[in-house]
Amino acid sequence: MGPAYRFFKFPEQFFDIFDHSSYELSISKEDARRKGHLKYLVKYLTEIGCQSILVENEYIDHDYLDDYTSYYAKCFVPYKRFCQRAHFFKQVITEGDLEQSLVDSDNAKIDQVRSSYIGFTVFKPLPQAVVGRTIVDTYPPDDGRRVFPVKKKYNINLFGLRLEKESLAFQEQDTVLAACATTALWSAFQKASDLYQTHIPTPAEITKCATRYVQTTRPIPTHGLNPEQMCNAISELGLAPEVSQIRPDTPLRSLVYGYVASGVPVLLGYNINGTDTRHAVTVCGFRLEDIPTLGPEAQSPDIHLSLVGQRIKELYVHDDNLGPFSRLEYVPPAISGVQPSLNPCIFKRDVFTDSGVVVEMCIPEIVIVPVYHKVRLTFNAIKGAIRDLDKYFFDTLQIGRVGSDDSPRLEWDIRLMELPEVKDWAQSTRHVNRDMVKEILFSNLPRYNWICTVRAGDQDLFSIIADATDMERSFYLHRVLFHVAGVKDRIAGVIRDSDLELENAAAAFKSSDYTKFLTTWFLS
């Protein structure tokens, strides 16, 4: 039996990993140097501070083993069933460090290995498609600007040493059992299992579920999934696919923020450079600018509705054409060259090719969100209700006019929360109404709620809670929590002193429910 592991310095010895008999039917060291996924992985590991690599020479990976038994074991070519797993460290780890931590149970060495650990990649013994399950650290937070809510805790066993990592699993497509949509779904289902206690299907299982009822081409080898098939895969898991076709009036960045900010994965489909080439990725996080200097995100009547999502400069996505946590950078229409009337929300990505880095424009077409089946109220529906209130507060009553020179910019933070998260939020957030906090904590509330917070700079003013399990034609706003003393009284005073009687507001809202809501929560 050969050695169980090998050590490599990073980055200078990274590609020496592939100078091994495990890859004789897979990829040569020279081809590995040219492979875009591996170029990206080297770049990413460099950015998160990798210095050394430990490779397990024989590793059985659950997802690959399922793919192997479904397809590769039945091929004439004797593809291997064992993978290799490369572990990454931000310190130089030696064989002595490993043995002291494992064999001698040296607590100091164990702490050194654990604190230095930044994740792993499984390398599969397949032709070219070698990047398997990858769990690595995210980019550093950059003073809170980078946020990665779509993560879960993974337990990792390194020769008996227990490690933990908060991340989201990634792998590249093999174009046989999984194409881009399949691997995007696979990553999304990793987090869905954490949110909804669902099964995590393998790529082979996802492809079979997706193509069970709708087949436009041969399912295996796969040539990709269309949106209907992606929705079928989500439904087969017992979840509901929330689908939004991207139009010029779609506030895409705010829509993505509404779900991702609470840890719900979002599947984003786009075309590349305005062509028929389409691609799907899993959105894991985002980068927020301090002020929304990026221009409007939609051509719509809501153009003056200020949302936190408008400050998103970058999305971080699992892109199986590149790697984990790759950047999609927002490009204003004036720079992208795409007519705003067609789509005002364009992104760009850097793609690694044999000839260098190529910039591609990504034009969003569809968003699919796997949600619990009781989440019936969509982001667009709650945005419509908030738009009406925003117009009444800030246009009709002129309360803290958005964009005024003498006050902080007011914006809405709209995000979906499950009930335990709502109660945690009520306990931890600043508030001036103890009785309302008690009511939120001790009352029966819907399992899912939209929390809509008005913010001035970095200070929350008040939050409106909406029942996300209700129907769109109902009135689903059910509570208000004030965070700053005097805000409620100021709003009530302006309403009472306004030339417009409160009853007349019903005409603006097209529903008397709004006036009842204002009376109950702002005037009582």
Side-chain angles (χ1 to χ4, degrees):
M1 185 178 72
Y5 57 87
R6 296 173 291 156
F7 280 98
F8 300 90
K9 295 179 181 179
F10 183 86
E12 58 267 30
Q13 294 180 329
F14 176 82
F15 292 102
D16 293 344
I17 294 172
F18 304 98
D19 190 11
H20 192 271
S21 59
S22 296
Y23 303 99
E24 60 188 4
L25 298 176
S26 175
I27 190 171
S28 67
K29 180 179 176 180
E30 291 71 27
D31 287 341
R33 290 184 183 277
R34 292 191 290 267
K35 183 174 172 61
H37 296 80
L38 296 176
K39 289 181 180 179
Y40 174 87
L41 186 59
V42 170
K43 176 178 178 293
Y44 186 81
L45 291 173
T46 301
E47 291 192 57
I48 62 174
C50 181
Q51 290 195 28
S52 60
I53 305 172
L54 183 158
V55 175
E56 293 180 68
N57 288 332
E58 285 193 347
Y59 177 74
I60 297 175
D61 182 72
H62 165 71
D63 291 277
Y64 173 71
L65 192 61
D66 186 70
D67 291 349
Y68 178 81
T69 56
S70 298
Y71 187 87
Y72 298 108
K74 302 169 186 176
C75 293
F76 179 77
V77 175
Y79 293 112
K80 299 178 184 295
R81 66 186 180 94
F82 286 102
C83 301
Q84 293 195 338
R85 184 163 66 158
H87 299 270
F88 310 116
F89 300 89
K90 58 186 178 183
Q91 296 179 17
V92 175
I93 301 296
T94 66
E95 183 175 355
D97 295 329
L98 182 67
E99 292 192 359
Q100 281 181 277
S101 60
L102 295 177
V103 181
D104 302 331
S105 298
D106 185 321
N107 289 330
K109 289 298 181 184
I110 290 174
D111 290 342
Q112 178 189 353
V113 171
R114 283 178 172 159
S115 63
S116 177
Y117 191 67
I118 56 178
F120 70 82
T121 291
V122 173
F123 290 124
K124 300 182 291 187
L126 295 178
Q128 299 302 317
V130 296
V131 180
R133 189 163 56 104
T134 298
I135 296 171
V136 291
D137 280 346
T138 63
Y139 284 112
D142 190 20
D143 292 328
R145 295 183 182 88
R146 293 193 188 110
V147 186
F148 296 91
V150 183
K151 297 186 296 185
K152 61 174 289 186
K153 185 175 76 172
Y154 292 90
N155 295 312
I156 302 159
N157 191 299
L158 174 60
F159 298 127
L161 179 63
R162 295 184 179 182
L163 305 167
E164 291 183 356
K165 187 57 57 184
E166 285 262 2
S167 187
L168 189 72
F170 164 87
Q171 66 174 307
E172 73 165 304
Q173 60 175 299
D174 63 3
T175 68
V176 174
L177 292 164
C180 66
T182 303
T183 53
L185 284 164
W186 179 80
S187 288
F189 290 159
Q190 299 281 321
K191 180 60 178 180
S193 71
D194 210 33
L195 294 172
Y196 314 121
Q197 292 73 56
T198 51
H199 165 63
I200 304 177
T202 64
E205 290 175 319
I206 293 172
T207 298
K208 290 174 184 175
C209 290
T211 58
R212 182 167 295 160
Y213 306 111
V214 178
Q215 297 182 6
T216 56
T217 61
R218 183 175 178 175
I220 297 175
T222 184
H223 298 284
L225 305 178
N226 60 37
E228 184 178 358
Q229 291 171 324
M230 295 174 69
C231 291
N232 285 341
I234 293 170
S235 298
E236 287 286 309
L237 206 61
L239 301 176
E242 188 67 60
V243 181
S244 296
Q245 300 287 345
I246 306 305
R247 303 188 300 266
D249 61 348
T250 302
L252 175 60
R253 286 175 290 156
S254 294
L255 187 156
V256 169
Y257 175 88
Y259 292 101
V260 172
S262 288
V264 180
V266 168
L267 299 161
L268 175 63
Y270 54 79
N271 72 64
I272 298 173
N273 294 329
T275 67
D276 291 334
T277 302
R278 289 176 170 81
H279 191 50
V281 297
T282 307
V283 184
C284 316
F286 48 82
R287 177 190 174 91
L288 290 173
E289 297 297 301
D290 294 332
I291 56 175
T293 58
L294 305 173
E297 61 177 342
Q299 301 292 319
S300 75
D302 304 335
I303 194 170
H304 298 298
L305 180 64
S306 180
L307 301 169
V308 172
Q310 293 169 356
R311 294 196 277 118
I312 289 180
K313 174 62 175 175
E314 292 177 337
L315 297 177
Y316 297 103
V317 303
H318 276 9
D319 183 342
D320 81 291
N321 278 355
L322 286 171
F325 305 113
S326 63
R327 292 180 173 96
L328 280 182
E329 183 181 351
Y330 172 70
V331 183
I335 299 175
S336 69
V338 178
Q339 290 293 328
S341 59
L342 299 177
N343 194 325
C345 194
I346 311 298
F347 296 91
K348 69 176 182 179
R349 66 172 186 169
D350 294 337
V351 179
F352 293 81
T353 67
D354 288 347
S355 57
V357 178
V358 176
V359 177
E360 294 180 342
M361 291 297 171
C362 306
I363 304 175
E365 294 184 345
I366 192 169
V367 163
I368 304 176
V369 186
V371 297
Y372 189 69
H373 63 89
K374 287 187 178 179
V375 178
R376 305 181 183 97
L377 194 67
T378 66
F379 171 84
N380 286 326
I382 188 64
K383 177 182 66 71
I386 294 303
R387 175 198 58 211
D388 292 341
L389 286 172
D390 180 88
K391 185 175 181 180
Y392 180 71
F393 285 142
F394 305 131
D395 287 347
T396 304
L397 300 179
Q398 294 290 306
I399 299 173
R401 181 61 233 150
V402 174
S404 62
D405 295 334
D406 57 349
S407 63
R409 180 186 177 90
L410 296 180
E411 63 182 4
W412 291 90
D413 184 324
I414 304 175
R415 62 176 74 187
L416 182 68
M417 290 189 190
E418 193 174 3
L419 185 55
E421 190 180 1
V422 172
K423 292 183 183 289
D424 288 343
W425 164 79
Q427 283 183 311
S428 60
T429 190
R430 178 181 176 182
H431 60 83
V432 295
N433 189 338
R434 188 171 182 271
D435 290 338
M436 176 50 61
V437 174
K438 286 174 60 179
E439 183 173 338
I440 293 173
L441 294 176
F442 300 128
S443 298
N444 290 324
L445 297 177
R447 179 170 178 178
Y448 289 92
N449 293 268
W450 287 101
I451 306 298
C452 312
T453 301
V454 176
R455 185 172 294 140
D458 59 357
Q459 185 176 59
D460 294 347
L461 302 182
F462 63 88
S463 297
I464 296 173
I465 307 175
D467 181 0
T469 68
D470 205 346
M471 62 188 76
E472 188 170 341
R473 63 176 178 270
S474 178
F475 190 77
Y476 33 75
L477 309 180
H478 61 84
R479 279 169 178 78
V480 178
L481 180 63
F482 289 91
H483 304 290
V484 177
V487 170
K488 178 181 178 181
D489 293 339
R490 181 186 174 193
I491 293 175
V494 174
I495 292 175
R496 292 191 181 100
D497 294 342
S498 174
D499 293 335
L500 297 174
E501 294 293 335
L502 183 60
E503 289 74 13
N504 292 338
F509 291 132
K510 301 181 178 63
S511 170
S512 61
D513 290 324
Y514 280 95
T515 57
K516 295 176 183 176
F517 176 77
L518 292 171
T519 300
T520 301
W521 297 106
F522 290 89
L523 297 179
S524 61

